């Protein structure tokens, strides 16, 4: 599998190091990830165990509501996201692609908030075994990027076109109520920066 330089194992290690330089308090939460990175290969391959890198998209509308999807397999409300693919040039691009695939919201309707390379947050969580796909229980090391819904005004909810083979439903809820943990404060900061930055606010 040809992996873009921006998604290589070397690049991932560098990105995680930069992230932990900014958020040293997260070292404990990410220990299982950094341990896997130390000896792991092909960290974007969904077959890599005990875990692999995935991406997620936090999409917030002008009313401060976060888009969540009801995931069929996991039976939970989640942010759009999933595995990377060989055609993804960057992790942010992978998050945009997953957003389009799962919700129908294209890149022309979202504006990336904050750093275009460094994720807003990195989350580590267990994924239960899926016998139908031949997948044992494993870890997802989730690179999460924040986006503001743009160019749709109050019609944002109406443009969602769900990928019904993986998603049952969607909802828009205040992002503060979404249970994002440490990402809640970071998302609030990113949204505040978008409001005060004319270049972002007018995009």
């Amino acid at each position: 599998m040809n992996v873009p330089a921006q998604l290589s194992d070397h690049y991932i290690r560098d990105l995680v190091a930069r992230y932990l330089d900014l958020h040293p308090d997260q070292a404990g939460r990410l220990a299982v990830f950094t341990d896997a990175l130390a000896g792991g290969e092909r960290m974007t391959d969904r077959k890599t165990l005990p875990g692999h890198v995935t991406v997620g998209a936090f999409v917030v509308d002008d009313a401060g509501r976060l888009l969540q999807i009801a995931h069929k397999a996991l039976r939970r409300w989640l942010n759009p996201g999933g595995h990377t693919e060989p055609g993804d040039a960057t992790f942010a691009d992978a998050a945009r692609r997953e957003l389009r695939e799962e919700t129908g919201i294209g890149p022309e309707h979202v504006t990336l908030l904050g750093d275009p390379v460094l994720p807003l947050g990195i989350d580590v969580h267990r994924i239960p075994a899926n016998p139908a796909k031949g997948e044992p229980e494993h870890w997802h090391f989730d690179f999460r990027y924040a986006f503001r819904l743009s160019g749709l005004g109050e019609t944002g909810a109406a443009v969602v076109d769900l990928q019904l083979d993986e998603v049952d439903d969607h909802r828009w809820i205040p992002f503060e109520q979404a249970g994002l943990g440490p990402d809640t404060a970071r998302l609030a900061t990113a949204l505040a920066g978008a409001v005060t930055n004319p270049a972002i606010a007018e995009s």
Side-chain angles (χ1 to χ4, degrees), residues 149-200:
L149 195 69
S150 58
L152 294 174
E154 295 298 320
T155 66
V159 303
V160 175
D161 181 15
L162 296 176
Q163 183 187 49
L164 294 176
D165 58 334
E166 293 188 8
V167 177
D168 280 322
D169 200 359
H170 76 285
R171 67 182 183 181
W172 295 87
I173 65 170
F175 76 88
E176 301 93 341
Q177 300 175 17
L180 303 181
D183 292 334
T184 302
R186 297 193 196 110
L187 184 54
T189 299
L191 289 167
V195 170
T196 58
N197 186 332
I200 296 176

Side-chain angles (χ1 to χ4, degrees), residues 5 8 10 14 42 45 48 70 72 121 126 132 134 136 159 170 189:
S8 70
H10 175 78
D14 179 68
R42 301 190 305 163
D45 190 330
T48 297
K72 281 186 177 181
R126 295 289 284 181
V159 303
H170 76 285
T189 299

Side-chain angles (χ1 to χ4, degrees), residues 37-134:
L37 272 175
E41 296 181 354
R42 301 190 305 163
M43 293 303 295
T44 57
D45 190 330
R46 68 183 302 155
K47 295 181 181 179
T48 297
L49 297 174
H52 42 261
V53 171
T54 56
V55 296
F58 291 148
V59 180
V60 181
D61 68 6
D62 288 341
R65 299 177 304 169
L66 180 76
L67 174 62
Q68 291 189 320
I69 55 173
H71 196 281
K72 281 186 177 181
L74 297 178
R75 298 181 181 180
R76 291 175 53 196
W77 287 104
L78 303 171
N79 53 291
H83 295 88
T84 64
E85 294 185 359
D88 297 327
T90 67
F91 287 118
D93 284 344
R96 291 186 188 93
R97 176 187 50 75
E98 283 289 332
L99 177 63
R100 178 193 284 276
E101 290 179 358
E102 292 186 340
T103 71
I105 297 176
E108 70 275 14
H109 291 309
V110 291
T111 301
L112 180 66
L113 301 177
D115 193 301
V117 176
L118 203 64
L120 179 83
I122 300 177
D123 188 61
V124 174
H125 52 268
R126 295 289 284 181
I127 300 297
N130 187 334
K133 292 185 177 181

